[in-house]
């Protein structure tokens, strides 16, 4: 019983040893492991290159919300798909929310805001320049009718701060999240 087992072992060893040695390249090794090696996307290369370049002197650190008219609320994936159709880089739009009826807010870096405005202008979209997210008229809640004006202002501030804190939770990149939070604190939007 032990002789056939050793014959099988020797037979399998001899078949492996008889095969010629092949060189394994990185792409063939990746295919063998079930993973394909991919070329990096241009935005990944640009992001990596930014790490090793000096910041432009005219760079404006900080972030801002651009407020746009909207016919109705949409799911975020659909809204991001529509932004992509307008050739807007969704990776640079850090947050999207609806602060009021028929208004959508996009959080972007100050350096990208002018590019974004130009893309919107090319598409015939005019951002809302006079929108104030802290205005109590945007609270649209019938339960708040009995509040005084000062209480409505405080409620509007509370709702706005809640939106900003929620936005911070959804920013994936930790360094960007910290930069946005520091900017929000510097503007006294959150504490």
């Amino acid at each position: 019983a032990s002789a056939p087992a050793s014959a099988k072992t020797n037979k399998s060893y001899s078949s492996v040893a008889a095969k010629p040695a092949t060189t394994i390249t990185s792409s063939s090794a990746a295919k063998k492991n079930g993973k394909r090696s991919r070329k990096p996307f241009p935005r990944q290369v640009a992001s990596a290159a930014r790490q090793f370049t000096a910041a432009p002197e005219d760079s404006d650190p900080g972030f801002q919300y651009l407020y746009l008219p909207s016919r109705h609320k949409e799911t975020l994936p659909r809204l991001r798909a529509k932004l992509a159709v307008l050739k807007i880089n969704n990776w640079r739009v850090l947050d999207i929310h609806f602060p009021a009826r028929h208004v959508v807010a996009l959080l972007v870096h100050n350096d990208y805001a002018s590019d974004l405005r130009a893309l919107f202008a090319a598409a015939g979209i005019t951002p809302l320049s006079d929108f104030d997210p802290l205005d109590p008229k945007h609270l649209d809640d019938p339960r708040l009718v009995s509040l005084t004006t000062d209480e409505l202002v405080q409620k509007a501030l509370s709702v706005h701060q809640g939106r900003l804190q929620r936005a911070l939770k959804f920013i994936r990149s930790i360094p960007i999240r910290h930069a946005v939070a520091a900017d929000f604190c510097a503007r006294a939007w959150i504490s």
Side-chain angles (χ1 to χ4, degrees), residues 89-153:
N89 186 350
N90 271 306
W91 286 90
R92 307 215 36 203
V93 178
L94 302 174
D95 176 47
I96 300 174
H97 68 265
F98 297 90
R101 181 174 289 169
H102 303 294
V103 177
V104 62
L106 307 177
L107 176 65
V108 295
H109 192 271
N110 287 340
D111 289 340
Y112 187 60
S114 59
D115 297 340
L116 194 57
R117 282 190 182 95
L119 289 169
F120 285 136
I125 301 168
T126 307
L128 303 173
S129 58
D130 60 344
F131 181 78
D132 181 14
L134 299 176
D135 193 343
K137 72 179 181 183
H138 301 303
L139 288 175
D140 289 343
D141 189 350
R143 296 176 291 181
L144 303 177
V145 174
S146 63
L147 296 179
T148 66
T149 305
D150 290 337
E151 291 172 333
L152 284 172
V153 168

Side-chain angles (χ1 to χ4, degrees), residues 16-159:
V16 171
K19 289 184 180 178
T22 57
T23 56
I24 299 177
T25 62
S26 61
S27 62
S28 64
K31 287 178 186 175
K32 192 173 187 177
N33 292 337
K35 298 178 185 176
R36 294 185 323 184
S37 61
R38 295 183 183 173
K39 290 176 62 175
F41 292 111
R43 67 178 157 74
Q44 291 172 322
V45 173
S47 177
R50 272 195 304 269
Q51 177 67 33
F52 303 106
T53 58
E57 291 181 16
D58 63 340
S59 177
D60 184 11
F63 301 87
Q64 63 179 285
Y65 276 102
L66 289 178
Y67 298 99
L68 304 168
S70 174
R71 290 187 180 194
H72 52 82
K73 284 188 179 181
E74 288 225 53
T75 63
L76 294 183
R78 282 188 181 176
L79 191 58
R80 285 194 180 271
K82 289 180 180 180
L83 291 174
V85 168
L86 296 172
K87 301 201 186 311
I88 293 171
N89 186 350
N90 271 306
W91 286 90
R92 307 215 36 203
V93 178
L94 302 174
D95 176 47
I96 300 174
H97 68 265
F98 297 90
R101 181 174 289 169
H102 303 294
V103 177
V104 62
L106 307 177
L107 176 65
V108 295
H109 192 271
N110 287 340
D111 289 340
Y112 187 60
S114 59
D115 297 340
L116 194 57
R117 282 190 182 95
L119 289 169
F120 285 136
I125 301 168
T126 307
L128 303 173
S129 58
D130 60 344
F131 181 78
D132 181 14
L134 299 176
D135 193 343
K137 72 179 181 183
H138 301 303
L139 288 175
D140 289 343
D141 189 350
R143 296 176 291 181
L144 303 177
V145 174
S146 63
L147 296 179
T148 66
T149 305
D150 290 337
E151 291 172 333
L152 284 172
V153 168
Q154 285 301 317
K155 184 65 176 173
L157 177 64
S158 166
V159 168

Side-chain angles (χ1 to χ4, degrees), residues 159-171:
V159 168
H160 180 64
Q161 288 176 338
R163 277 193 213 105
L164 298 178
Q165 290 173 349
R166 197 172 317 115
L168 289 173
K169 289 180 185 177
F170 288 104
I171 296 175

